[in-house]
Amino acid sequence: QVQLVESGGGLVQAGGSLRLSCAASGSIFSINTMGWYRQAPGKQRELVAIITSGGTISYADSVKGRFTISRDNAKNTVNLQMNSLKFEDTAVYYCNAIVTTTPVNTKMYWGQGTQVTVSS
């Protein structure tokens, strides 16, 4: 069993910054991709940013240049630095990871979500 625990959400004014963190724990053998998704009210969950164990990164076009994803493979953590936040960034942000556990089984895991609210 694997748990993803997020922290760092909150309320911020437009133009401000927040940093989200996610820590994976449990029977982890290895973690391939880690990332962040978000879901705004009435909308589908969408990709924000992902990073592979080798450091390859992809961002949604809407956050390029404003958000930065990073990970610490030794600590099984992933962070999302969000700068120049906009009202439309308001959403519940979910941590995501593709994990190989012991005994060997690979599946996708989700965190419980953390609310980010940007006031205009």
Side-chain angles (χ1 to χ4, degrees):
Q1 192 72 312
V2 174
Q3 298 80 41
L4 302 181
V5 179
E6 301 126 332
S7 61
L11 173 64
V12 64
Q13 288 187 332
S17 299
L18 282 174
R19 182 178 177 85
L20 304 183
S21 296
C22 174
S25 63
S27 302
I28 298 171
F29 176 73
S30 64
I31 302 179
N32 186 352
T33 301
M34 300 188 81
W36 293 92
Y37 290 70
R38 66 187 182 188
Q39 188 167 18
K43 295 187 177 181
Q44 289 188 331
R45 191 172 297 187
E46 63 175 5
L47 171 70
V48 176
I50 55 172
I51 180 169
T52 69
S53 57
T56 300
I57 293 172
S58 295
Y59 293 103
D61 288 342
S62 59
V63 306
K64 284 181 180 177
R66 300 188 297 121
F67 290 11
T68 301
I69 190 170
S70 62
R71 68 186 279 180
D72 186 327
N73 290 331
K75 296 181 179 179
N76 293 330
T77 58
V78 62
N79 301 305
L80 185 69
Q81 178 66 42
M82 304 185 293
N83 298 327
S84 302
L85 282 160
K86 304 176 181 179
F87 176 76
E88 50 265 39
D89 294 318
T90 296
V92 178
Y93 284 68
Y94 295 92
C95 178
N96 170 279
I98 298 176
V99 181
T100 298
T101 56
T102 55
V104 177
N105 182 32
T106 300
K107 61 182 290 187
M108 180 180 291
Y109 293 87
W110 293 92
Q112 79 283 0
T114 185
Q115 177 70 46
V116 171
T117 302
V118 183
S119 61
S120 58

